[in-house]
């Protein structure tokens, strides 16, 4: 039912996104769908003159996907949201909330997955930014 | 400058936009979706209202002929009133008064004899 | 220069809803703003697992109170698209009428709050008095003031009688008059200009790059309006999206003010052309497949991605609300602003946080 869907892989994602930005597309959002116990699918939605274009990225859970927020800055919020609610992590986010955008620190499971995945001690990957001079 | 002044002057002579609430109450429109009532004597406990309710506030038990509604879960959307096959659910035009504790309406109807074949459990 | 961190929100007099901004300030000038969300996250998207697709109409209405009608309309249009249901023409026109009334009351609410944000409290009350008239129309025609709950899959639940239409038109004349009276106050006043002109500038290219939506985008001179897609009966009505060039708070305010008047015009057009007939169709079966539905809300474009699998419950319901798209723009507007201008700039994108977090 979706008009124009391009399947992508994590390797070519950044390149394809940069291309589509050059073509003048506006970023809309990402939709993450849990397919089964081990797989999720992420749809990237773009728009140009009210014509939609989508990327479809199928990955197993617990994958680290390169973030597109260095290309489209607006993507950082939704990528943080997916990090919170699904068992997917993004690398290279412009602003990384480290699974605390919606959730509290102590929550380790993934609320929007029917087959929940417990996140390990992944919060220690990066410490919060230090504002002291 | 003084763009607001005509408006302010006009407000002195026009009627008030607000009302002194507990003493003056607004006339309800006859379409208002207010308090939910069930005429229990007409109800056949089919359970369609409970199945259709988006907030799942209604519990119906056909065997014991009881109808329960959790008032503070109800969102007053009016879906149950529209789908009731017996037309025994109604909504008043006025809203419930605020209360201090959560209430549940519990209604006991009479258990009908088995010979009426209608009122199958809805999906 | 020594940097200072100033927290803004989640409880702040100017914010109707909780959003937190960590503002890094040098002297009195903002250099960086980082948002923090999650104060009203309710997980309504996931309720699609527990409620069937018809009950979800009432659930998505509660995503946002102010634009409840548009959420339900967008969701219903998505499901109707999946099930290939043709909505009766009268229902389409009724949807336009109620959605434009909703846009009017939302914009009037915002205009009031915006006036309040720079301390013009009497203007705030004037706008809210006008809004009360719209709410009365909604209450008299649908049965509720804000959560009108008129949409069902396949049409609408309530109809308008000729008497109600006549009364509505006479009320709208009054509303239009009252809004026009406030126009000069809002746009020619010295103080209002001082507080809004050249504040929070967002250029057209930047707005497109950040994916903003609605009046925030149109205030920067980009003419993009989802209503031009012609959903419901909008393809039979004529209007052109309102745009302003400057991209500052004043332009966004003007766009919303003019859109309020445009909505009155659209309601009149819809009433003039409304056909007689059925208001809903029986919908049999269950949805299957995936679809995208887009509707223009008062704050911008709302984007629904619906995935169904032929069962009673939907597989996935994803809602992208306009404020979610406008927050990145807000973060780029704030650096360079004075700390005292932050409330005005934050309100100029019309933040609806319950929408954002769902």
């Amino acid at each position: 039912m979706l008009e124009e869907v391009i399947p992508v892989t994590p390797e070519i994602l950044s390149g394809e996104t940069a291309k589509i930005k050059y073509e003048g597309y506006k970023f809309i959002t990402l939709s993450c769908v849990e397919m089964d116990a081990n797989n999720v699918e992420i749809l990237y939605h773009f728009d140009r003159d009210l014509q939609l274009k989508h990327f479809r990225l199928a990955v197993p859970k617990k994958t680290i996907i390169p973030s597109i927020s260095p290309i489209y800055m607006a993507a950082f919020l939704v990528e943080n949201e997916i990090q919170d609610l699904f068992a997917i992590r993004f690398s290279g986010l412009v602003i990384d909330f480290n699974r605390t955008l919606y959730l509290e620190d102590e929550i380790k499971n993934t609320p929007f997955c029917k087959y929940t995945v417990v996140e390990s001690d992944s919060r220690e990957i990066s410490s919060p930014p230090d504002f002291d001079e | 400058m003084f763009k607001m002044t005509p408006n302010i002057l006009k407000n002195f002579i026009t009627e008030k936009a607000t009302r002194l609430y507990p003493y003056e109450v607004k006339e309800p429109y006859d379409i208002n979706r207010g308090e939910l009532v069930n005429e229990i004597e007409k109800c056949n406990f089919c359970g369609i209202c409970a199945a259709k309710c988006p907030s799942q506030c209604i519990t119906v038990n056909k065997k014991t002929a009881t109808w329960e509604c959790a008032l503070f879960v109800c969102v007053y959307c009016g879906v149950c009133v529209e789908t009731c096959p017996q037309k025994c659910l109604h909504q008043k035009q006025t809203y419930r008064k605020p209360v201090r504790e959560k209430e549940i309406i519990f209604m006991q109807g009479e258990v009908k004899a088995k010979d009426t074949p209608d009122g199958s459990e809805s999906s | 220069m020594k940097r200072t961190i100033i927290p803004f929100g989640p409880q702040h007099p100017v914010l109707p809803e909780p959003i937190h901004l960590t503002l890094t300030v040098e002297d009195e000038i903002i250099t960086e703003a980082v948002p923090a969300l999650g104060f009203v996250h309710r997980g309504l998207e996931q309720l699609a697992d527990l409620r069937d697709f018809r009950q979800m109409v009432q659930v998505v209405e509660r995503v946002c109170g102010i634009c409840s009608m548009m959420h339900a309309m967008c969701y219903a249009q998505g499901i109707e698209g999946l099930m290939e249901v043709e909505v009766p023409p009268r229902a389409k026109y009724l949807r336009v009428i109620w959605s434009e009334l909703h846009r009017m009351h939302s914009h009037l609410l915002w205009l009031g709050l915006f006036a309040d944000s720079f301390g013009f409290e009497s203007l705030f009350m004037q706008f809210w008095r006008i809004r009360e008239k719209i709410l009365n129309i909604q209450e008299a025609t649908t049965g509720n003031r804000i959560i009108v709950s008129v949409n069902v899959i396949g049409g609408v639940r309530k109809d308008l009688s000729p008497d109600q239409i006549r009364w509505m038109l006479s009320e709208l004349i009054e509303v239009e008059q009252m809004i026009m009276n406030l126009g000069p106050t809002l746009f020619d006043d010295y103080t209002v200009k001082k507080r809004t002109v050249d504040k929070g500038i967002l250029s057209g290219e930047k707005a497109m790059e950040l994916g903003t939506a609605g009046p925030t985008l149109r205030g920067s001179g980009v003419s993009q309006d989802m209503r031009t897609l012609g959903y419901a009966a909008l393809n039979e009505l004529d209007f052109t999206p309102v745009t302003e060039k400057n991209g500052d708070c004043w332009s966004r305010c003007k766009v919303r003010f003019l859109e309020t008047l445009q909505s009155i015009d659209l309601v009149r057009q819809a009433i003039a052309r409304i056909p007689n007939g059925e208001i809903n169709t029986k919908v049999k079966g269950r949805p299957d497949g995936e679809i995208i539905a887009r509707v223009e809300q008062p704050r911008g474009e709302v984007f629904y991605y619906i995935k169904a699998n032929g069962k009673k419950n939907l597989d996935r319901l994803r809602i992208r609300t306009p404020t979610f798209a406008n927050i990145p723009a807000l973060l780029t507007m704030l650096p360079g602003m004075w700390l005292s201008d932050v409330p005005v700039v934050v309100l100029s994108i019309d933040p609806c946080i319950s929408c954002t977090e769902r």
Side-chain angles (χ1 to χ4, degrees):
Chain A
M1 289 292 254
L2 308 184
E3 298 111 39
E4 209 183 334
V5 186
I6 305 165
V8 291
T9 56
E11 292 79 46
I12 62 163
L13 175 65
S14 299
E16 289 287 311
T17 314
K19 208 167 89 190
I20 212 166
K21 187 177 182 182
Y22 181 73
E23 284 168 19
Y25 278 85
K26 180 183 149 203
F27 172 78
I28 298 182
T29 195
L30 268 62
S31 306
C32 189
V33 188
E34 189 188 30
M35 302 308 284
D36 53 47
N38 296 316
N39 290 294
V40 294
E41 201 177 84
I42 301 178
L43 282 158
Y44 291 70
H45 309 287
F46 302 94
D47 158 295
R48 185 175 66 184
D49 303 329
L50 306 183
Q51 286 296 308
L52 288 167
K53 200 170 193 173
H54 316 273
F55 289 169
R56 197 186 288 273
L57 176 71
V59 283
K61 282 181 183 171
K62 293 208 165 187
T63 319
I64 296 175
I65 301 172
S67 164
I68 62 160
S69 60
I71 303 161
Y72 283 105
M73 192 275 225
F76 83 92
L77 259 183
V78 64
E79 286 182 341
N80 272 302
E81 183 184 307
I82 291 172
Q83 255 187 184
D84 274 23
L85 306 173
F86 294 90
I88 289 288
R89 299 285 263 173
F90 289 89
S91 63
L93 276 166
V94 178
I95 303 174
D96 194 349
F97 289 90
N98 228 339
R99 281 175 56 81
T100 55
L101 180 69
Y102 291 161
L103 303 180
E104 290 298 316
D105 278 331
E106 63 269 15
I107 294 167
K108 293 273 184 246
N109 60 0
T110 50
F112 270 33
C113 291
K114 274 170 224 161
Y115 307 93
T116 190
V117 175
V118 177
E119 284 271 323
S120 49
D121 45 2
S122 48
R123 266 213 190 80
E124 278 88 69
I125 292 174
S126 64
S127 53
D130 205 6
F131 283 108
D132 291 330
E133 284 281 282
Chain B
M1 280 293 170
F2 305 116
K3 294 286 193 288
M4 198 69 167
T5 322
N7 260 317
I8 294 169
L9 290 176
K10 215 182 280 171
N11 287 344
F12 280 117
I13 47 165
T14 48
E15 60 173 321
K16 277 186 194 161
T18 51
R19 65 188 91 70
L20 286 167
Y21 166 62
Y23 311 106
E24 259 178 81
V25 183
K26 187 178 158 193
E27 274 297 301
Y29 296 101
D30 47 357
I31 200 171
N32 271 11
R33 296 199 299 267
E35 200 176 320
L36 181 68
V37 281
N38 187 6
E39 290 175 49
I40 198 75
E41 56 276 9
K42 272 206 254 167
C43 182
N44 69 348
F45 306 99
C46 61
I48 288 179
C49 48
K52 296 271 179 193
C53 176
S55 67
Q56 301 183 343
C57 65
I58 304 174
T59 329
V60 182
N61 192 330
K62 197 173 164 68
K63 282 205 182 103
T64 55
T66 55
W67 187 89
E68 268 181 71
C69 176
L71 283 176
F72 292 86
V73 181
C74 180
V75 293
Y76 298 92
C77 59
V79 169
C80 50
V81 180
E82 274 175 23
T83 50
C84 182
Q86 297 291 316
K87 304 276 169 240
C88 65
L89 282 169
H90 299 288
Q91 275 186 302
K92 288 188 190 168
Q93 290 159 12
T94 51
Y95 304 102
R96 292 188 78 85
K97 292 275 176 290
V99 290
R100 281 161 185 254
E101 277 167 5
K102 289 195 177 180
E103 279 176 36
I104 289 180
I105 308 182
F106 179 82
M107 280 179 154
Q108 174 75 55
E110 29 180 312
V111 184
K112 293 228 171 70
K114 263 269 149 89
D115 54 352
T116 48
D118 64 346
S120 56
E121 283 292 318
S122 73
S123 57
Chain C
M1 189 74 67
K2 180 96 175 105
R3 283 193 296 169
T4 321
I5 311 275
I6 295 186
F8 181 84
Q11 305 298 330
H12 189 278
V14 82
L15 292 172
E17 285 176 282
I19 182 173
H20 175 85
L21 291 170
T22 310
L23 303 171
T24 312
V25 180
E26 271 178 24
D27 207 359
E28 287 254 335
I29 311 280
I30 314 278
T31 56
E32 202 194 354
V34 178
L37 301 171
F39 300 97
V40 282
H41 176 63
R42 295 157 289 166
L44 287 178
E45 285 177 359
Q46 201 61 357
L47 216 55
D49 275 356
L50 301 172
R51 305 282 190 269
D52 73 38
F53 70 95
R54 286 166 208 271
Q55 290 172 335
M56 279 309 284
V57 178
Q58 268 75 34
V59 174
V60 294
E61 270 171 3
R62 267 108 190 139
V63 168
C64 173
I66 300 300
C67 28
S68 65
M69 156 75 203
M70 268 92 153
H71 270 289
M73 178 165 83
C74 187
Y75 174 78
Q77 280 174 3
I79 297 282
E80 283 152 9
L82 276 181
M83 299 171 79
E84 285 160 12
V85 178
E86 187 53 42
V87 180
R90 188 174 175 88
K92 287 185 175 174
Y93 275 90
L94 288 171
R95 278 182 180 176
V96 170
I97 292 172
W98 277 310
S99 67
E100 293 308 317
L101 282 173
H102 244 81
R103 190 183 313 281
M104 267 144 69
H105 102 77
S106 171
H107 279 346
L108 287 169
L109 172 120
W110 179 84
L111 285 164
L113 287 176
F114 190 60
D116 191 43
S117 80
F118 49 74
F120 204 154
E121 220 160 291
S122 59
L123 189 60
F124 155 74
M125 286 173 189
Q126 300 283 324
F127 273 121
W128 279 43
R129 182 170 68 179
I130 309 173
R131 179 173 176 258
E132 202 58 32
K133 281 201 179 295
I134 310 275
L135 293 185
N136 279 344
I137 296 178
Q138 289 187 5
E139 193 178 2
T141 53
T142 67
N144 230 344
R145 273 161 63 89
I146 290 173
I147 309 250
V148 291
S149 200
V150 285
N151 286 287
V152 280
I153 291 159
V156 289
R157 282 165 63 185
K158 299 274 180 345
D159 202 354
L160 290 177
S161 68
D163 279 348
Q164 279 174 330
I165 286 180
R166 231 169 289 131
W167 171 71
M168 211 157 115
L169 285 174
S170 69
E171 286 284 286
L172 284 180
I173 292 171
E174 229 173 292
V175 168
E176 191 176 25
Q177 198 55 49
M178 285 164 96
I179 296 174
M180 296 288 245
N181 279 345
L182 293 180
T185 318
L186 196 57
F187 297 117
D188 299 340
D189 195 278
Y190 173 77
T191 333
V192 178
K193 274 192 174 166
K194 265 278 185 219
R195 288 304 303 272
T196 56
V197 174
D198 288 343
K199 298 281 192 286
I201 294 180
L202 184 73
S203 68
E205 299 88 67
K206 194 86 187 151
M208 279 305 268
E209 192 195 318
L210 291 168
T212 48
T216 317
L217 185 59
R218 289 196 287 279
S220 300
V222 183
S223 169
Q224 197 193 53
D225 192 325
M226 288 307 133
R227 283 180 286 178
T228 47
L229 283 172
Y231 61 83
L234 282 163
N235 50 354
E236 291 160 34
L237 310 176
D238 26 284
F239 73 100
T240 35
V242 182
T243 51
E244 283 291 321
K245 287 189 205 72
N246 296 342
D248 54 3
C249 291
W250 195 82
S251 303
R252 291 192 274 277
C253 182
K254 184 136 198 189
V255 166
R256 290 198 173 89
F257 184 84
L258 295 176
E259 272 186 14
T260 320
L261 298 173
Q262 188 189 46
S263 291
I264 296 180
D265 181 49
L266 276 173
V267 172
R268 285 195 186 131
Q269 283 187 40
I271 285 176
R273 298 181 194 183
I274 191 165
N276 288 323
E278 287 287 303
I279 57 163
N280 57 27
T281 46
K282 274 263 180 291
V283 179
K284 285 255 156 53
R286 279 164 185 177
D288 194 4
E290 44 185 359
I291 200 164
I292 278 161
R294 304 157 90 189
V295 160
E296 183 76 17
Q297 274 189 348
R299 288 163 183 78
E301 166 204 4
V302 67
F303 181 95
Y304 270 64
Y305 167 76
I306 301 166
K307 185 169 188 224
N309 53 1
K311 291 196 193 119
K312 212 167 71 172
N313 297 338
L314 299 176
D315 244 15
R316 177 88 170 106
L317 172 68
R318 161 98 179 107
I319 309 167
R320 201 289 319 254
T321 52
T323 313
F324 201 90
N326 287 339
I327 284 178
L330 174 66
L331 302 184
T332 55
M333 278 177 215
L334 283 173
M337 288 284 101
W338 287 78
L339 185 60
S340 54
D341 289 329
V342 174
V344 181
V345 176
V346 170
L347 262 194
S348 77
I349 67 156
D350 199 353
C352 176
I353 310 301
S354 302
C355 255
T356 311
E357 296 173 19
R358 304 169 301 279

